[in-house]
Amino acid sequence: MPRMSAEELEQFLYSHFPDSAHRAFRVERVDEMFAQVRMHFDKRHLRPGGTISGPSLMTLSDTAMYMALLGMIGPVGLAVTTNLNINFLRKPAQVDVIAECKLLKLGKRLAVGEVTMYSEGDADPVAHATLTYSIPPGPL
Amino acid sequence: MPRMSAEELEQFLYSHFPDSAHRAFRVERVDEMFAQVRMHFDKRHLRPGGTISGPSLMTLSDTAMYMALLGMIGPVGLAVTTNLNINFLRKPAQVDVIAECKLLKLGKRLAVGEVTMYSEGDADPVAHATLTYSIPPGPL
Amino acid sequence: MPRMSAEELEQFLYSHFPDSAHRAFRVERVDEMFAQVRMHFDKRHLRPGGTISGPSLMTLSDTAMYMALLGMIGPVGLAVTTNLNINFLRKPAQVDVIAECKLLKLGKRLAVGEVTMYSEGDADPVAHATLTYSIPPGPL
Amino acid sequence: MPRMSAEELEQFLYSHFPDSAHRAFRVERVDEMFAQVRMHFDKRHLRPGGTISGPSLMTLSDTAMYMALLGMIGPVGLAVTTNLNINFLRKPAQVDVIAECKLLKLGKRLAVGEVTMYSEGDADPVAHATLTYSIPPGPL
């Protein structure tokens, strides 16, 4: 069972990352080893040709992983990304992107997750990422 | 619908990769954008400490991706791996490992898939890989 | 010999990516299969704990690769990132970050490069990325 | 200064990995945060089309990283690969492959390295890998 609700996670996110980019994110669902995060469509995330930019999708995947992890271990600020591998699969449409993160491993020192990202209303993924977080030693 | 059955794929695999390593593989299932491959447990794949070796799991993930891809495009010998990213998640047990490959993208030039590997009888994955194959230009 | 100078590449970058994030970038050097890009320190790129954010470093690595590639093939707007793998190595200092991109392969369809990123004045890298770009078929 | 010589590392390798695949490897050089390993050309490593197989190159990159790491921390048997990302760049010639591993980070818990692989006598790399090893807590 997750230790934090979607609302608590979104509050944590906004209080720790007060920049505008993260304002586009909504934590829609958390579950056992799982989180779903929506990135609202925003013209500022476009790159030439009208595509949602790669860095926006990378930030989204990182945020979805962070939410899935904190959902399980609680509001630990010091977990950090150590590796991110992302494949860009299709040109995203100019709509919201939904990221689904599944934790593959939650160890004492490392957590690994995979994130599949979809344009709203399309079953074919636009990007897929795997991420590793290092979890600080502590009172867990 | 796949263009090749599990039996045809396994025959293709053995006729093209006649070395002993691949003899441990069974193509168990192919489906739309999907393949499942079993690696029979073999003491030769052990590394110190009695763990199935990383290279064995890498070879298994590459084979599962190759089978899923050929299932869709037919027996094209010239498709080659261009990128493989693998996370080792848990020490595998000394049993068969089952790899499930899901194709995330099947384009004209590139195919991308993800492979989750499980020790038989355990729901927690032992490794997860994402792979990219380059598909030669041709009469597809 | 590169087809574009550092000045031409920076102009191309700014005209195609007019958002503020890229304003922090300076194309410092281009050479055969090589580009060096500086990211000026900017408090907006900080994440909690005073570290330069992961997405900033990802954007920097992607930009350095794009500059190294366009330096070789000219101002082709349609080259796109297909894979990015980044390892975060150390907490960056609150100073400029310098990215050095070396192209490992420049094929007709795919280009692969590696990018090492340093905090100014420190020889130990803060992050390392490898990237693949897909190059559109065309009059090259 | 490395804690182990090339000879000591090769002995360690052979005593811990007695299978035939590793018999093709020679530890040619170790230095501060660096190792160079040669894979002797062996027809058994060929895949269809006469190319040295991807798994052989993956095993080589993993071995070069392991040697560079043990060179620095000594003969610790329990260090394990947690992530490997490899890009296959060119079809290798039917000659020896030489792998050069540079450690990018040597932390208490994680080590990260990059490995560039060349066909003997050719300056263009055939493959490039980045790897992460998890280092067990201990008396280091």
Side-chain angles (χ1 to χ4, degrees), chain C residues 68-96:
Chain C
L69 177 59
L70 293 196
M72 296 305 290
I73 68 175
V76 176
L78 294 174
V80 292
T81 313
T82 57
N83 175 263
L84 182 151
N85 183 65
I86 186 164
N87 284 292
F88 298 100
L89 304 169
R90 287 171 191 82
K91 187 175 161 167
Q94 297 193 14
V95 296
D96 290 3

PDB file of all heavy atoms in Angstrom, chain C residues 68-96:
ATOM      1  N   ALA C  68      27.179  19.135 -32.238  1.00  0.00           N
ATOM      2  CA  ALA C  68      28.247  18.340 -32.862  1.00  0.00           C
ATOM      3  C   ALA C  68      27.757  17.733 -34.175  1.00  0.00           C
ATOM      4  O   ALA C  68      28.482  17.713 -35.182  1.00  0.00           O
ATOM      5  CB  ALA C  68      28.709  17.228 -31.912  1.00  0.00           C
ATOM      6  N   LEU C  69      26.500  17.296 -34.171  1.00  0.00           N
ATOM      7  CA  LEU C  69      25.937  16.667 -35.373  1.00  0.00           C
ATOM      8  C   LEU C  69      25.728  17.694 -36.485  1.00  0.00           C
ATOM      9  O   LEU C  69      26.162  17.500 -37.628  1.00  0.00           O
ATOM     10  CB  LEU C  69      24.614  15.991 -35.011  1.00  0.00           C
ATOM     11  CG  LEU C  69      23.835  15.345 -36.158  1.00  0.00           C
ATOM     12  CD1 LEU C  69      24.642  14.271 -36.846  1.00  0.00           C
ATOM     13  CD2 LEU C  69      22.513  14.775 -35.651  1.00  0.00           C
ATOM     14  N   LEU C  70      25.082  18.814 -36.136  1.00  0.00           N
ATOM     15  CA  LEU C  70      24.837  19.832 -37.170  1.00  0.00           C
ATOM     16  C   LEU C  70      26.152  20.426 -37.669  1.00  0.00           C
ATOM     17  O   LEU C  70      26.258  20.812 -38.836  1.00  0.00           O
ATOM     18  CB  LEU C  70      23.938  20.945 -36.627  1.00  0.00           C
ATOM     19  CG  LEU C  70      22.499  20.554 -36.299  1.00  0.00           C
ATOM     20  CD1 LEU C  70      21.640  21.804 -36.167  1.00  0.00           C
ATOM     21  CD2 LEU C  70      21.897  19.616 -37.334  1.00  0.00           C
ATOM     22  N   GLY C  71      27.137  20.484 -36.797  1.00  0.00           N
ATOM     23  CA  GLY C  71      28.454  20.935 -37.252  1.00  0.00           C
ATOM     24  C   GLY C  71      28.943  20.091 -38.418  1.00  0.00           C
ATOM     25  O   GLY C  71      29.571  20.606 -39.352  1.00  0.00           O
ATOM     26  N   MET C  72      28.625  18.807 -38.391  1.00  0.00           N
ATOM     27  CA  MET C  72      29.098  17.906 -39.441  1.00  0.00           C
ATOM     28  C   MET C  72      28.161  17.847 -40.650  1.00  0.00           C
ATOM     29  O   MET C  72      28.621  17.742 -41.788  1.00  0.00           O
ATOM     30  CB  MET C  72      29.271  16.483 -38.886  1.00  0.00           C
ATOM     31  CG  MET C  72      30.338  16.347 -37.806  1.00  0.00           C
ATOM     32  SD  MET C  72      31.979  16.953 -38.308  1.00  0.00           S
ATOM     33  CE  MET C  72      32.439  15.703 -39.523  1.00  0.00           C
ATOM     34  N   ILE C  73      26.838  17.896 -40.418  1.00  0.00           N
ATOM     35  CA  ILE C  73      25.921  17.682 -41.550  1.00  0.00           C
ATOM     36  C   ILE C  73      25.253  18.966 -42.027  1.00  0.00           C
ATOM     37  O   ILE C  73      24.532  18.953 -43.016  1.00  0.00           O
ATOM     38  CB  ILE C  73      24.831  16.617 -41.232  1.00  0.00           C
ATOM     39  CG1 ILE C  73      23.843  17.108 -40.162  1.00  0.00           C
ATOM     40  CG2 ILE C  73      25.464  15.298 -40.807  1.00  0.00           C
ATOM     41  CD1 ILE C  73      22.689  16.140 -39.908  1.00  0.00           C
ATOM     42  N   GLY C  74      25.478  20.057 -41.324  1.00  0.00           N
ATOM     43  CA  GLY C  74      24.845  21.312 -41.714  1.00  0.00           C
ATOM     44  C   GLY C  74      23.479  21.478 -41.064  1.00  0.00           C
ATOM     45  O   GLY C  74      23.013  20.594 -40.342  1.00  0.00           O
ATOM     46  N   PRO C  75      22.816  22.620 -41.327  1.00  0.00           N
ATOM     47  CA  PRO C  75      21.613  23.003 -40.583  1.00  0.00           C
ATOM     48  C   PRO C  75      20.373  22.203 -40.985  1.00  0.00           C
ATOM     49  O   PRO C  75      19.449  22.741 -41.594  1.00  0.00           O
ATOM     50  CB  PRO C  75      21.468  24.491 -40.908  1.00  0.00           C
ATOM     51  CG  PRO C  75      22.121  24.652 -42.234  1.00  0.00           C
ATOM     52  CD  PRO C  75      23.239  23.646 -42.294  1.00  0.00           C
ATOM     53  N   VAL C  76      20.356  20.925 -40.630  1.00  0.00           N
ATOM     54  CA  VAL C  76      19.230  20.053 -40.924  1.00  0.00           C
ATOM     55  C   VAL C  76      18.302  20.049 -39.716  1.00  0.00           C
ATOM     56  O   VAL C  76      18.646  19.507 -38.667  1.00  0.00           O
ATOM     57  CB  VAL C  76      19.718  18.619 -41.213  1.00  0.00           C
ATOM     58  CG1 VAL C  76      18.538  17.684 -41.433  1.00  0.00           C
ATOM     59  CG2 VAL C  76      20.644  18.619 -42.428  1.00  0.00           C
ATOM     60  N   GLY C  77      17.140  20.665 -39.865  1.00  0.00           N
ATOM     61  CA  GLY C  77      16.266  20.835 -38.717  1.00  0.00           C
ATOM     62  C   GLY C  77      15.608  19.551 -38.248  1.00  0.00           C
ATOM     63  O   GLY C  77      15.109  19.485 -37.131  1.00  0.00           O
ATOM     64  N   LEU C  78      15.596  18.522 -39.075  1.00  0.00           N
ATOM     65  CA  LEU C  78      14.739  17.380 -38.776  1.00  0.00           C
ATOM     66  C   LEU C  78      15.438  16.209 -38.103  1.00  0.00           C
ATOM     67  O   LEU C  78      14.834  15.173 -37.873  1.00  0.00           O
ATOM     68  CB  LEU C  78      14.053  16.905 -40.054  1.00  0.00           C
ATOM     69  CG  LEU C  78      13.071  17.944 -40.611  1.00  0.00           C
ATOM     70  CD1 LEU C  78      12.534  17.507 -41.941  1.00  0.00           C
ATOM     71  CD2 LEU C  78      11.941  18.171 -39.621  1.00  0.00           C
ATOM     72  N   ALA C  79      16.703  16.357 -37.795  1.00  0.00           N
ATOM     73  CA  ALA C  79      17.351  15.298 -37.015  1.00  0.00           C
ATOM     74  C   ALA C  79      16.729  15.272 -35.626  1.00  0.00           C
ATOM     75  O   ALA C  79      16.518  16.316 -35.020  1.00  0.00           O
ATOM     76  CB  ALA C  79      18.851  15.569 -36.928  1.00  0.00           C
ATOM     77  N   VAL C  80      16.393  14.078 -35.148  1.00  0.00           N
ATOM     78  CA  VAL C  80      15.729  13.981 -33.847  1.00  0.00           C
ATOM     79  C   VAL C  80      16.413  12.947 -32.960  1.00  0.00           C
ATOM     80  O   VAL C  80      16.935  11.936 -33.447  1.00  0.00           O
ATOM     81  CB  VAL C  80      14.233  13.583 -33.986  1.00  0.00           C
ATOM     82  CG1 VAL C  80      13.443  14.701 -34.638  1.00  0.00           C
ATOM     83  CG2 VAL C  80      14.078  12.290 -34.769  1.00  0.00           C
ATOM     84  N   THR C  81      16.392  13.206 -31.681  1.00  0.00           N
ATOM     85  CA  THR C  81      16.922  12.277 -30.697  1.00  0.00           C
ATOM     86  C   THR C  81      16.038  11.042 -30.648  1.00  0.00           C
ATOM     87  O   THR C  81      14.820  11.153 -30.525  1.00  0.00           O
ATOM     88  CB  THR C  81      16.920  12.926 -29.297  1.00  0.00           C
ATOM     89  OG1 THR C  81      17.460  14.233 -29.388  1.00  0.00           O
ATOM     90  CG2 THR C  81      17.730  12.100 -28.309  1.00  0.00           C
ATOM     91  N   THR C  82      16.627   9.864 -30.762  1.00  0.00           N
ATOM     92  CA  THR C  82      15.834   8.645 -30.586  1.00  0.00           C
ATOM     93  C   THR C  82      16.152   7.948 -29.270  1.00  0.00           C
ATOM     94  O   THR C  82      15.310   7.254 -28.718  1.00  0.00           O
ATOM     95  CB  THR C  82      16.060   7.644 -31.740  1.00  0.00           C
ATOM     96  OG1 THR C  82      17.461   7.351 -31.823  1.00  0.00           O
ATOM     97  CG2 THR C  82      15.584   8.223 -33.064  1.00  0.00           C
ATOM     98  N   ASN C  83      17.371   8.100 -28.765  1.00  0.00           N
ATOM     99  CA  ASN C  83      17.731   7.487 -27.484  1.00  0.00           C
ATOM    100  C   ASN C  83      18.687   8.395 -26.733  1.00  0.00           C
ATOM    101  O   ASN C  83      19.594   8.976 -27.323  1.00  0.00           O
ATOM    102  CB  ASN C  83      18.404   6.119 -27.716  1.00  0.00           C
ATOM    103  CG  ASN C  83      18.912   5.488 -26.420  1.00  0.00           C
ATOM    104  OD1 ASN C  83      20.084   5.591 -26.077  1.00  0.00           O
ATOM    105  ND2 ASN C  83      18.027   4.868 -25.672  1.00  0.00           N
ATOM    106  N   LEU C  84      18.451   8.503 -25.440  1.00  0.00           N
ATOM    107  CA  LEU C  84      19.376   9.233 -24.566  1.00  0.00           C
ATOM    108  C   LEU C  84      19.553   8.417 -23.296  1.00  0.00           C
ATOM    109  O   LEU C  84      18.580   7.996 -22.674  1.00  0.00           O
ATOM    110  CB  LEU C  84      18.812  10.623 -24.236  1.00  0.00           C
ATOM    111  CG  LEU C  84      19.690  11.541 -23.374  1.00  0.00           C
ATOM    112  CD1 LEU C  84      19.407  13.014 -23.698  1.00  0.00           C
ATOM    113  CD2 LEU C  84      19.477  11.320 -21.890  1.00  0.00           C
ATOM    114  N   ASN C  85      20.811   8.167 -22.945  1.00  0.00           N
ATOM    115  CA  ASN C  85      21.105   7.458 -21.703  1.00  0.00           C
ATOM    116  C   ASN C  85      22.056   8.330 -20.906  1.00  0.00           C
ATOM    117  O   ASN C  85      23.111   8.705 -21.399  1.00  0.00           O
ATOM    118  CB  ASN C  85      21.770   6.108 -21.998  1.00  0.00           C
ATOM    119  CG  ASN C  85      22.031   5.320 -20.729  1.00  0.00           C
ATOM    120  OD1 ASN C  85      21.100   4.917 -20.031  1.00  0.00           O
ATOM    121  ND2 ASN C  85      23.307   5.128 -20.397  1.00  0.00           N
ATOM    122  N   ILE C  86      21.664   8.682 -19.683  1.00  0.00           N
ATOM    123  CA  ILE C  86      22.496   9.591 -18.893  1.00  0.00           C
ATOM    124  C   ILE C  86      22.752   9.011 -17.512  1.00  0.00           C
ATOM    125  O   ILE C  86      21.851   8.418 -16.895  1.00  0.00           O
ATOM    126  CB  ILE C  86      21.856  11.002 -18.804  1.00  0.00           C
ATOM    127  CG1 ILE C  86      22.797  11.993 -18.107  1.00  0.00           C
ATOM    128  CG2 ILE C  86      20.497  10.973 -18.142  1.00  0.00           C
ATOM    129  CD1 ILE C  86      22.411  13.453 -18.312  1.00  0.00           C
ATOM    130  N   ASN C  87      23.994   9.131 -17.067  1.00  0.00           N
ATOM    131  CA  ASN C  87      24.373   8.780 -15.702  1.00  0.00           C
ATOM    132  C   ASN C  87      24.746  10.053 -14.961  1.00  0.00           C
ATOM    133  O   ASN C  87      25.594  10.821 -15.432  1.00  0.00           O
ATOM    134  CB  ASN C  87      25.566   7.811 -15.715  1.00  0.00           C
ATOM    135  CG  ASN C  87      25.153   6.406 -16.099  1.00  0.00           C
ATOM    136  OD1 ASN C  87      24.456   5.739 -15.365  1.00  0.00           O
ATOM    137  ND2 ASN C  87      25.554   5.978 -17.290  1.00  0.00           N
ATOM    138  N   PHE C  88      24.113  10.255 -13.821  1.00  0.00           N
ATOM    139  CA  PHE C  88      24.422  11.400 -12.965  1.00  0.00           C
ATOM    140  C   PHE C  88      25.466  10.941 -11.967  1.00  0.00           C
ATOM    141  O   PHE C  88      25.253   9.977 -11.227  1.00  0.00           O
ATOM    142  CB  PHE C  88      23.153  11.883 -12.273  1.00  0.00           C
ATOM    143  CG  PHE C  88      22.110  12.345 -13.250  1.00  0.00           C
ATOM    144  CD1 PHE C  88      21.046  11.529 -13.606  1.00  0.00           C
ATOM    145  CD2 PHE C  88      22.214  13.588 -13.853  1.00  0.00           C
ATOM    146  CE1 PHE C  88      20.095  11.940 -14.529  1.00  0.00           C
ATOM    147  CE2 PHE C  88      21.259  14.008 -14.783  1.00  0.00           C
ATOM    148  CZ  PHE C  88      20.206  13.193 -15.119  1.00  0.00           C
ATOM    149  N   LEU C  89      26.613  11.611 -11.971  1.00  0.00           N
ATOM    150  CA  LEU C  89      27.785  11.089 -11.276  1.00  0.00           C
ATOM    151  C   LEU C  89      28.085  11.798  -9.962  1.00  0.00           C
ATOM    152  O   LEU C  89      28.480  11.171  -8.988  1.00  0.00           O
ATOM    153  CB  LEU C  89      29.001  11.190 -12.204  1.00  0.00           C
ATOM    154  CG  LEU C  89      28.825  10.491 -13.568  1.00  0.00           C
ATOM    155  CD1 LEU C  89      29.966  10.870 -14.510  1.00  0.00           C
ATOM    156  CD2 LEU C  89      28.774   8.983 -13.404  1.00  0.00           C
ATOM    157  N   ARG C  90      27.953  13.105  -9.957  1.00  0.00           N
ATOM    158  CA  ARG C  90      28.274  13.899  -8.767  1.00  0.00           C
ATOM    159  C   ARG C  90      27.314  15.070  -8.694  1.00  0.00           C
ATOM    160  O   ARG C  90      26.795  15.511  -9.701  1.00  0.00           O
ATOM    161  CB  ARG C  90      29.699  14.472  -8.880  1.00  0.00           C
ATOM    162  CG  ARG C  90      30.774  13.457  -8.687  1.00  0.00           C
ATOM    163  CD  ARG C  90      32.154  13.998  -9.014  1.00  0.00           C
ATOM    164  NE  ARG C  90      33.094  12.868  -9.053  1.00  0.00           N
ATOM    165  CZ  ARG C  90      33.254  12.072 -10.114  1.00  0.00           C
ATOM    166  NH1 ARG C  90      32.574  12.290 -11.231  1.00  0.00           N
ATOM    167  NH2 ARG C  90      34.092  11.062 -10.064  1.00  0.00           N
ATOM    168  N   LYS C  91      27.159  15.593  -7.512  1.00  0.00           N
ATOM    169  CA  LYS C  91      26.352  16.795  -7.318  1.00  0.00           C
ATOM    170  C   LYS C  91      27.102  17.963  -7.962  1.00  0.00           C
ATOM    171  O   LYS C  91      28.242  18.261  -7.564  1.00  0.00           O
ATOM    172  CB  LYS C  91      26.185  17.016  -5.804  1.00  0.00           C
ATOM    173  CG  LYS C  91      25.228  18.121  -5.441  1.00  0.00           C
ATOM    174  CD  LYS C  91      25.025  18.204  -3.923  1.00  0.00           C
ATOM    175  CE  LYS C  91      24.470  19.581  -3.574  1.00  0.00           C
ATOM    176  NZ  LYS C  91      23.949  19.655  -2.197  1.00  0.00           N
ATOM    177  N   PRO C  92      26.514  18.612  -8.952  1.00  0.00           N
ATOM    178  CA  PRO C  92      27.236  19.722  -9.586  1.00  0.00           C
ATOM    179  C   PRO C  92      27.357  20.908  -8.635  1.00  0.00           C
ATOM    180  O   PRO C  92      26.479  21.139  -7.804  1.00  0.00           O
ATOM    181  CB  PRO C  92      26.337  20.103 -10.771  1.00  0.00           C
ATOM    182  CG  PRO C  92      25.340  18.999 -10.915  1.00  0.00           C
ATOM    183  CD  PRO C  92      25.207  18.368  -9.568  1.00  0.00           C
ATOM    184  N   ALA C  93      28.451  21.645  -8.763  1.00  0.00           N
ATOM    185  CA  ALA C  93      28.610  22.889  -8.012  1.00  0.00           C
ATOM    186  C   ALA C  93      27.720  23.958  -8.635  1.00  0.00           C
ATOM    187  O   ALA C  93      27.199  23.798  -9.739  1.00  0.00           O
ATOM    188  CB  ALA C  93      30.081  23.317  -8.035  1.00  0.00           C
ATOM    189  N   GLN C  94      27.539  25.065  -7.938  1.00  0.00           N
ATOM    190  CA  GLN C  94      26.683  26.146  -8.448  1.00  0.00           C
ATOM    191  C   GLN C  94      27.501  27.055  -9.361  1.00  0.00           C
ATOM    192  O   GLN C  94      27.668  28.252  -9.082  1.00  0.00           O
ATOM    193  CB  GLN C  94      26.040  26.893  -7.295  1.00  0.00           C
ATOM    194  CG  GLN C  94      25.112  25.982  -6.476  1.00  0.00           C
ATOM    195  CD  GLN C  94      24.211  26.743  -5.515  1.00  0.00           C
ATOM    196  OE1 GLN C  94      24.057  27.950  -5.601  1.00  0.00           O
ATOM    197  NE2 GLN C  94      23.586  26.011  -4.598  1.00  0.00           N
ATOM    198  N   VAL C  95      28.002  26.462 -10.419  1.00  0.00           N
ATOM    199  CA  VAL C  95      28.802  27.190 -11.410  1.00  0.00           C
ATOM    200  C   VAL C  95      28.370  26.710 -12.805  1.00  0.00           C
ATOM    201  O   VAL C  95      27.523  25.832 -12.929  1.00  0.00           O
ATOM    202  CB  VAL C  95      30.318  26.914 -11.226  1.00  0.00           C
ATOM    203  CG1 VAL C  95      30.807  27.430  -9.871  1.00  0.00           C
ATOM    204  CG2 VAL C  95      30.618  25.416 -11.369  1.00  0.00           C
ATOM    205  N   ASP C  96      28.972  27.295 -13.838  1.00  0.00           N
ATOM    206  CA  ASP C  96      28.684  26.845 -15.201  1.00  0.00           C
ATOM    207  C   ASP C  96      29.002  25.362 -15.358  1.00  0.00           C
ATOM    208  O   ASP C  96      29.914  24.835 -14.707  1.00  0.00           O
ATOM    209  CB  ASP C  96      29.550  27.614 -16.213  1.00  0.00           C
ATOM    210  CG  ASP C  96      29.134  29.079 -16.352  1.00  0.00           C
ATOM    211  OD1 ASP C  96      28.217  29.519 -15.622  1.00  0.00           O
ATOM    212  OD2 ASP C  96      29.748  29.782 -17.171  1.00  0.00           O
TER     213      ASP C  96
END
